[in-house]
Amino acid sequence: MRHDYRLGCPLVAASTSAAEYPGAAERAATAFQTLAGQIAASFEADGLAADAARRAGDMLVAALEGAIITSRATRSTAPLDALSAHIRETWG
């Protein structure tokens, strides 16, 4: 790949540097929560119960971030491909 797996999510970098940059970590946490909330709202609008929608939003953000990190570590898109397939099978 042209980027050689150097690219990742800036929110992860900000959240893991809380000791040096607490403000950045706080903003990253807010961004993660906002994204999970937007996903949850979409699921809820499609008829999923509020608690289940919230859990799905939280899980999908965590899974995506984990897949990004794992893809970088393994230098493979397989974790992202697996997550994408799972999402399609589950909610497609």
Side-chain angles (χ1 to χ4, degrees):
M1 300 200 114
R2 193 174 80 226
H3 56 72
D4 197 32
Y5 295 94
R6 289 185 305 268
L7 302 177
C9 178
L11 296 176
V12 171
S15 64
T16 59
S17 64
E20 299 89 356
Y21 305 102
E26 289 174 20
R27 286 190 285 285
T30 298
F32 283 136
Q33 291 167 343
T34 298
L35 180 56
Q38 291 171 338
I39 294 168
S42 179
F43 276 122
E44 199 170 346
D46 283 345
L48 196 60
D51 285 346
R54 181 187 45 77
R55 287 190 305 271
D58 290 343
M59 185 275 306
L60 285 170
V61 170
L64 177 59
E65 293 303 325
I68 291 169
I69 293 167
T70 306
S71 288
R72 287 185 70 192
T74 61
R75 301 172 65 82
S76 167
T77 61
L80 289 164
D81 295 338
L83 176 60
S84 177
H86 178 74
I87 290 169
R88 284 190 177 94
E89 290 167 3
T90 304
W91 289 291

